[in-house]
């Protein structure tokens, strides 16, 4: 049994362990941080919880797991819609996976981003005589974390519909492919100060976490008809194989004869030796009491010594 199957069995066995309804707490926490930040005007709570590599190195380690609460969608309306959407997606995924697997998925996404941001977040990128810092990029880590959440939902429910502009129904897999295309655009967009190597690879961290948990199931995002047509294009034409001779049990010498020599007749009487070619007017039968596979003409089928 491979490692993935063991992991699936472990998660299924302990599916009810962990923090139930995790996305409810994340969404409510994000809403409270957003409202407090808007009300206070100084954004002190946001500044305390957001990811900051320099302050983490000084001992503020809670920022490693608190930054998902600093997600904002811009305006109050967009933030409310986004948080409600992510709560619904997380709840649907948890119903399929169970509490433990979903908790591990969200936690591993947080930790992978922490590792990347702590290792590469302090790299300054020169552009002429100017050094650019990419700390603002890593302060929006919650966006990429929720991107993996959306991809996971689209993989589990590819035929689900979203209402674009609250009017136009669009299937989840279409949105997923669009998100992947935009993410790849960010990866190959090396303009300074927006993105630059290695910071342009940061969006791939969330996708790596998504691939880690889904494996080959990520192909569910692609419509089934597309996958079938792709297989037909790359399918090799099988070589023609010779017909196999399937001998009867206890065939005796007849088995060797059929396997090695192709006779010019189909039936041959074991007693007199006449065949359906030499005597086409005869009828031939096979004896069920003889040991092996023995044929007899109509004259000897009831008048012969049974072979033991």
């Amino acid at each position: 049994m491979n490692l993935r199957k063991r992991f699936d069995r472990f998660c299924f066995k302990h599916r009810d362990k962990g923090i139930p309804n995790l996305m409810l707490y994340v969404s409510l926490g994000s809403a409270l941080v957003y409202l407090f930040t808007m009300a206070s005007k100084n954004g002190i709570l946001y500044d305390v919880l957001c990811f900051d590599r320099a302050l983490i190195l000084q001992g503020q380690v809670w920022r490693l797991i608190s930054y998902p609460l600093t997600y904002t969608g811009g305006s109050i309306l967009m933030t409310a819609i986004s948080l409600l959407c992510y709560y619904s997606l997380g709840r649907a995924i948890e119903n399929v996976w169970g509490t433990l697997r979903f908790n591990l998925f969200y936690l591993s996404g947080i930790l992978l981003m922490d590792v990347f941001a702590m290792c590469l977040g302090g790299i300054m990128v020169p552009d002429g005589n100017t050094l650019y810092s990419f700390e603002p990029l890593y302060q929006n880590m919650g966006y990429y974390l929720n991107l993996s959440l959306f991809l996971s939902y689209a993989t589990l429910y590819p035929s689900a519909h979203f209402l674009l502009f609250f009017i136009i129904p669009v299937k989840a897999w279409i949105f997923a492919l669009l998100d992947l295309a935009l993410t790849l655009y960010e990866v190959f967009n090396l303009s300074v100060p927006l993105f630059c190597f290695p910071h342009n690879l940061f969006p791939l961290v969330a996708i790596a976490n998504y691939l880690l948990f889904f494996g080959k199931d990520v192909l569910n995002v692609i419509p089934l008809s597309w996958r079938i047509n792709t297989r037909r294009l790359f399918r090799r034409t099988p070589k023609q194989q010779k017909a196999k001779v399937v001998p009867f049990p206890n065939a005796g010498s007849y088995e060797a004869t059929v396997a090695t020599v192709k006779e010019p007749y189909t039936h041959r009487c074991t007693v007199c030796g006449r065949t359906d070619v030499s005597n086409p007017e005869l009828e031939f039968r096979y004896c069920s009491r003889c040991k092996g596979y023995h044929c007899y003409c109509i004259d000897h089928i009831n008048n012969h010594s049974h072979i033991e």
Side-chain angles (χ1 to χ4, degrees):
M1 185 183 299
N2 58 33
L3 185 60
R4 179 173 293 278
K5 289 184 178 180
R6 291 183 180 179
F7 175 75
D8 292 340
R9 290 187 62 181
F10 175 80
C11 291
F12 181 79
K13 184 177 180 181
H14 305 281
R15 59 179 288 120
D16 295 329
K17 296 183 179 179
I19 304 174
N21 216 358
L22 176 63
M23 284 306 299
L24 175 63
Y25 302 120
V26 174
S27 299
L28 289 177
S30 300
L32 291 175
V33 172
Y34 179 80
L35 292 175
F36 185 86
T37 302
M38 295 293 292
S40 62
K41 301 296 184 180
N42 55 13
I44 183 172
L45 183 58
Y46 178 89
D47 293 336
V48 170
L49 298 178
C50 69
F51 185 91
D52 192 312
R53 181 177 181 275
L55 295 177
I56 292 174
L57 294 176
Q58 294 177 13
Q60 298 183 15
V61 293
W62 67 82
R63 295 176 181 269
L64 292 171
I65 59 174
S66 64
Y67 69 82
L69 302 178
T70 61
Y71 172 78
T72 175
S75 64
I76 295 179
L77 179 61
M78 290 304 299
T79 300
I81 293 175
S82 298
L83 293 178
L84 179 61
C85 178
Y86 290 132
Y87 162 70
S88 301
L89 298 181
R91 187 62 182 166
I93 298 172
E94 185 177 345
N95 287 337
V96 176
W97 277 356
T99 301
L100 178 62
R101 188 185 181 105
F102 181 74
N103 284 189
L104 293 176
F105 171 75
Y106 204 78
L107 179 62
S108 65
I110 293 175
L111 295 180
L112 286 176
M113 290 186 175
D114 287 338
V115 172
F116 187 96
M118 290 300 295
C119 293
L120 302 177
I123 297 179
M124 306 288 286
V125 177
D127 183 34
N129 297 325
T130 307
L131 287 176
Y132 288 103
S133 173
F134 285 78
E135 286 301 324
L137 169 65
Y138 298 106
Q139 290 177 356
N140 295 323
M141 293 162 64
Y143 166 76
Y144 296 107
L145 185 62
N146 292 327
L147 170 63
S148 66
L149 199 68
F150 179 76
L151 291 176
S152 301
Y153 178 84
T155 305
L156 295 174
Y157 303 95
S159 298
H161 285 83
F162 290 93
L163 293 179
L164 183 63
F165 305 120
F166 303 100
I167 300 175
I168 306 173
V170 181
K171 289 188 176 182
W173 67 266
I174 298 178
F175 274 118
L177 295 181
L178 180 61
D179 270 346
L180 286 174
L182 293 176
T183 302
L184 293 178
Y185 171 76
E186 293 181 358
V187 171
F188 291 101
N189 179 16
L190 300 178
S191 59
V192 177
L194 296 178
F195 287 95
C196 194
F197 184 82
H199 305 285
N200 64 312
L201 301 178
F202 181 67
L204 296 179
V205 178
I207 297 180
N209 183 57
Y210 160 72
L211 295 175
L212 179 65
F213 273 77
F214 278 90
K216 63 181 181 180
D217 292 337
V218 299
L219 295 176
N220 292 340
V221 176
I222 304 174
L224 181 60
S225 59
W226 293 14
R227 284 179 277 163
I228 293 175
N229 292 332
T230 303
R231 289 171 186 169
R232 288 175 180 173
L233 289 176
F234 295 98
R235 183 181 298 170
R236 294 182 178 179
T237 304
K239 296 181 179 179
Q240 278 191 336
Q241 297 181 351
K242 296 182 179 179
K244 295 183 178 179
V245 177
V246 181
F248 285 85
N250 302 321
S253 60
Y254 179 79
E255 177 184 3
T257 303
V258 172
T260 56
V261 181
K262 183 178 180 181
E263 299 291 350
Y265 53 82
T266 304
H267 306 292
R268 179 178 181 275
C269 180
T270 305
V271 176
C272 65
R274 290 181 293 181
T275 68
D276 57 337
V277 176
S278 61
N279 299 87
E281 73 281 0
L282 292 178
E283 293 184 10
F284 294 86
R285 298 288 186 269
Y286 291 86
C287 181
S288 60
R289 294 180 57 186
C290 290
K291 184 179 180 181
Y293 194 66
H294 297 279
C295 178
Y296 299 93
C297 65
I298 195 65
D299 296 331
H300 298 105
I301 185 64
N302 297 316
N303 184 21
H304 67 273
S305 300
H306 297 293
I307 300 174
E308 299 295 338

